[in-house]
Amino acid sequence: MTNWIAWLMLAGMLVILEIFTGTFYLLMIAIGLAAGAIAALLGMNGEAQWMVAAIVGVIATYSLRRSKLGRFSRRDAARDPSVNLDIGQTLVVDAWNGDGRTARAMYRGALWDVELEHGGQAGPGAFIIREVRGNRLIVVNNRKEA
């Protein structure tokens, strides 16, 4: 077996492992290994092949890390409508407690604790759910009614 075939087999194994991990970093290392196969095809010695594979792999990994795909975005799950489908829904509050910031309201067939988001105005009417904290719904005034 020639060197370039060994390089491509290693790259193929990393691509298969990549399928199971779900990140692109192993794919970037596989690109480096493919560059090592090209170096072997060009007739470079073993050390040069390793050097080419390492340099291309590091550059590809660094480029991925700097790109949009390599950045992790942290979202607060309590405010993310992709995680909690209640966010953005409307509920009706009939009366607020004496503190003017909390209430109890029916939503989805159950009584929920409701808290008014800072800057909101308490009063009977429809409110939009902005966040879910445990069994408490954080709401803001419905702009359509204002």
Side-chain angles (χ1 to χ4, degrees), residues 75-145:
R75 289 186 179 174
D76 184 11
R79 297 184 74 87
D80 189 0
S82 299
V83 175
N84 195 328
L85 298 178
D86 293 324
I87 296 171
Q89 299 298 316
T90 304
L91 81 129
V92 176
V93 177
D94 296 324
W96 290 88
N97 294 336
D99 62 0
R101 307 284 314 153
T102 61
R104 300 274 291 167
M106 287 294 288
Y107 177 67
R108 291 191 295 138
L111 264 175
W112 287 74
D113 291 329
V114 178
E115 182 179 329
L116 190 61
E117 191 174 58
H118 294 290
Q121 296 177 354
F127 291 84
I128 298 174
I129 301 171
R130 296 289 295 260
E131 185 176 345
V132 179
R133 290 186 202 149
N135 67 339
R136 183 169 291 225
L137 302 174
I138 311 301
V139 298
V140 67
N141 296 84
N142 189 350
R143 302 289 182 221
K144 294 176 187 173
E145 291 185 353

Side-chain angles (χ1 to χ4, degrees), residues 12-23:
M13 284 191 285
L14 280 183
V15 169
I16 291 170
L17 283 174
E18 174 63 39
I19 293 170
F20 294 111
T21 62
T23 64

Side-chain angles (χ1 to χ4, degrees), residues 4 35-45 49:
W4 67 272
I38 292 171
L41 272 173
L42 293 175
M44 294 183 181
N45 63 11
Q49 294 171 21

